[in-house]
Amino acid sequence: MKRRILSKEYFPGIPKIPYEGPDSKNPLAFKHYNPDEIVEGKTMKEHFRFSVVYWHTIRGTGSDMFGSGAWLRPWEDGTNSMEMAATRAGVLFEFCTKLGAPFYAFHDRDVAPESRNLRETNRNLDRMVKVLKDYQRETGVQLLWGTACLFAHPRYMHGAATSCNADVFAYAAAQVKKAIEITHELGGAGYVFWGGREGYTTLLNTDMKRELDHLAAFLHMAVEHKKRIGFKGQFYIEPKPKEPTKHQYDSDAAACLNFLRQYGLLEHFKLNLETNHATLANHTMQHELEVAGAAGALGSIDANMGDLMLGWDTDQFPTDIYLTTQIMLTILKYGGFTTGGVNFDAKCRRESFEPVDLFYAHIAGMDAFARGLKIAAAIRHDGRLAEFVKNRYRSWDVGIGKQIESGKVGFAELEEYALKLGEVKGLESGRQEFLENLINEFI
Ligand code: XLS
Ligand code: NI
Ligand code: NI
């Protein structure tokens, strides 16, 4: 295989995307994302750790349930050969370099083709890992996380770790073992477990308890293997309530945390939260972030958004400033990312078929997050929102509230207290509209 280290240009005419500031009219420039600008003591680059996904950005074709691939990708030769895999790696690293995205993320099958058997498939992966490593070294672009595709091949039709067929479990284990190893080899900062087809389409044929036990056993084996090979990256679970199954076991942040706790896995995992998965679960992204943050399990985010009128995982680029503001308020509140980052698990619309649209889309997402960060930082600096919340709970800082929080009283003491109290006085307004307007002051 011939190595073409950034020698060939796949996006001719597109320069390294500069920061030009809010007054710029250049569509191939950042208006708000200024990597070196310091916000709350860190550069924007450090805050976001932006990441480009292999599956949508490099492997996406624009196909949907009603039509085949539609995107113009002049470098594609219509095959899934090893040559083609190497070319695609060149495309990814040129894209990340021009965009200024410091990270990328992949599924094993995104980067190397599946072959006749596992041994050959693994050999393909090993060859591609060498290519990726060279590109990483040359460009400085790093791996945010790796994962295994346990949902596309027909063998996984009933799930992988939760399949009714034990051989499928074994095959999936071997695949994940290898995927963790190559992630380790590439210095990945993390490894993601997204449920794929771990769930059910009908309970008539499903032994749920048994499947959940198997999933836990699978994850324990992964933790074990991680230790054995000395992989220090963070493990994440990515919640999603449905698609492709009717019910995914990792349905939302709370369900994942309960599962991890029940099976003694909590200390080994954090959550990778995705906006469009949150909304499919009838939650806001901020809700999911709060649930994870409160449990000390806020790890990373898959940044995208859905469409209010469409009920599925449309994986649109996150361009809603209100959304990015809420996300960044919560991320800052919980101390920011460490191993995680803002991973654009997002795809262009089918109609946005030109290569340049990939740039427009990522620039839009990065600028929206930069604005969200600046707005969130301004709200925090202003202090009125935090002050309002603090003040709202002030009855817990003294007297009976303080005694309850410190576990000094029980029902008997509280009954005595309530009898003396008469009626509760001093309830205050929640001021939702006042607060919504306060946020709008900064947007
Ligand atoms: C699918 C998921 C998937 C994971 C990686 O809905 O978002 O893309 O992020 O397997
Ligand atoms: Ni995702
Ligand atoms: Ni998704």
Side-chain angles (χ1 to χ4, degrees):
M1 193 174 15
K2 212 161 80 241
R3 205 79 54 77
R4 316 183 192 86
I5 299 292
L6 295 193
S7 54
K8 196 161 185 295
E9 219 189 354
Y10 300 100
F11 300 97
I14 297 179
K16 168 118 181 59
I17 306 301
Y19 167 73
E20 291 184 358
D23 295 332
S24 169
K25 297 280 180 277
N26 177 3
L28 288 173
F30 294 115
K31 317 285 186 296
H32 299 279
Y33 177 61
N34 182 7
D36 301 322
E37 187 176 328
I38 309 267
V39 180
E40 291 202 9
K42 281 202 295 195
T43 64
M44 283 198 184
K45 189 175 172 192
E46 291 164 334
H47 270 289
F48 295 121
R49 297 161 58 81
F50 282 125
S51 165
V52 171
V53 303
Y54 226 100
W55 52 102
H56 289 312
T57 296
I58 303 301
R59 302 306 308 275
T61 62
S63 67
D64 65 15
M65 253 118 87
F66 302 91
S68 55
W71 289 341
L72 192 67
R73 296 293 182 258
W75 53 83
E76 289 286 333
D77 67 3
T79 72
N80 195 17
S81 64
M82 283 299 286
E83 266 293 312
M84 197 55 240
T87 299
R88 290 183 189 125
V91 178
L92 181 274
F93 283 92
E94 182 189 327
F95 183 76
C96 289
T97 304
K98 287 186 167 174
L99 185 67
F103 291 97
Y104 72 110
F106 65 65
H107 299 87
D108 47 3
R109 303 300 175 248
D110 298 332
V111 293
E114 185 148 9
S115 204
R116 276 171 309 179
N117 56 52
L118 189 60
R119 198 179 305 278
E120 278 184 27
T121 302
N122 285 349
R123 208 174 295 142
N124 287 350
L125 266 176
D126 288 334
R127 286 167 68 194
M128 276 310 299
V129 164
K130 288 206 183 76
V131 176
L132 295 170
K133 227 177 168 175
D134 282 349
Y135 276 123
Q136 288 187 186
R137 202 177 301 122
E138 187 189 341
T139 61
V141 174
Q142 292 169 283
L143 182 62
L144 188 68
W145 49 262
T147 187
C149 177
L150 301 176
F151 46 91
H153 193 284
R155 84 174 70 83
Y156 296 124
M157 64 171 68
H158 301 293
T162 64
S163 176
C164 48
N165 183 310
D167 282 353
V168 174
F169 182 106
Y171 201 105
Q175 191 179 326
V176 167
K177 174 178 180 288
K178 182 71 182 172
I180 295 171
E181 286 164 6
I182 62 165
T183 300
H184 180 40
E185 172 79 23
L186 290 167
Y191 183 91
V192 164
F193 293 84
W194 166 60
R197 293 178 194 273
E198 315 293 23
Y200 62 83
T201 8
T202 172
L203 283 171
L204 288 174
N205 63 15
T206 303
D207 186 337
M208 191 195 279
K209 167 81 168 71
R210 215 166 173 183
E211 292 197 2
L212 289 171
D213 287 350
H214 295 165
L215 182 57
F218 192 93
L219 295 177
H220 272 291
M221 290 178 202
V223 169
E224 180 67 35
H225 190 63
K226 175 184 194 242
K227 280 194 196 131
R228 183 171 311 151
I229 64 174
F231 176 48
K232 296 280 184 291
Q234 176 65 48
F235 272 180
Y236 308 98
I237 301 249
E238 181 177 323
K240 184 177 185 182
K242 54 188 164 200
E243 286 181 34
T245 69
K246 158 170 137 168
H247 175 83
Q248 307 266 126
Y249 291 135
D250 300 329
S251 52
D252 64 4
C256 288
L257 291 171
N258 179 61
F259 170 84
L260 292 169
R261 205 172 270 127
Q262 181 182 350
Y263 287 99
L265 286 158
L266 194 54
E267 62 179 303
H268 304 292
F269 288 83
K270 286 188 175 171
L271 300 183
N272 178 42
L273 298 165
E274 177 165 325
T275 313
N276 209 162
H277 296 182
T279 48
L280 280 180
N282 272 328
H283 300 310
T284 61
M285 179 61 163
Q286 201 174 14
H287 166 94
E288 290 293 82
L289 291 166
E290 281 289 348
V291 170
L298 179 44
S300 197
I301 66 170
D302 271 9
N304 62 18
M305 63 183 197
D307 185 299
L308 273 182
M309 301 295 131
L310 300 171
W312 63 87
D313 195 12
T314 58
D315 283 350
Q316 285 164 232
F317 275 85
T319 53
D320 180 340
I321 310 285
Y322 215 91
L323 169 71
T324 57
T325 298
Q326 289 173 333
I327 291 175
M328 291 318 297
L329 268 174
T330 314
I331 299 285
L332 291 176
K333 174 175 161 188
Y334 287 104
F337 296 114
T338 50
T339 53
V342 176
N343 180 52
F344 287 113
D345 193 352
K347 60 182 183 224
C348 288
R349 296 306 85 198
R350 191 170 197 264
E351 303 87 334
S352 307
F353 65 95
E354 294 177 353
V356 70
D357 287 307
L358 292 171
F359 281 92
Y360 292 145
H362 284 83
I363 290 169
M366 289 160 84
D367 266 345
F369 264 89
R371 282 201 65 192
L373 172 66
K374 286 193 266 187
I375 294 164
I379 291 169
R380 282 157 60 86
H381 180 75
D382 169 80
R384 277 176 290 163
L385 181 64
E387 187 53 37
F388 181 91
V389 176
K390 187 163 175 285
N391 190 48
R392 187 163 182 246
Y393 290 88
R394 68 187 184 283
S395 68
W396 294 91
D397 298 333
V398 290
I400 196 70
K402 197 172 177 187
Q403 283 176 292
I404 297 170
E405 278 198 351
S406 53
K408 292 214 177 86
V409 290
F411 267 10
E413 291 81 2
L414 292 176
E415 181 186 47
E416 202 185 310
Y417 179 86
L419 286 170
K420 261 194 264 158
L421 190 64
E423 190 43 83
V424 173
K425 287 178 226 68
L427 284 179
E428 290 167 357
S429 167
R431 301 248 190 273
Q432 179 171 334
E433 303 78 4
F434 165 90
L435 293 171
E436 284 166 350
N437 201 28
L438 176 67
I439 298 290
N440 285 349
E441 260 184 49
F442 296 86
I443 289 189

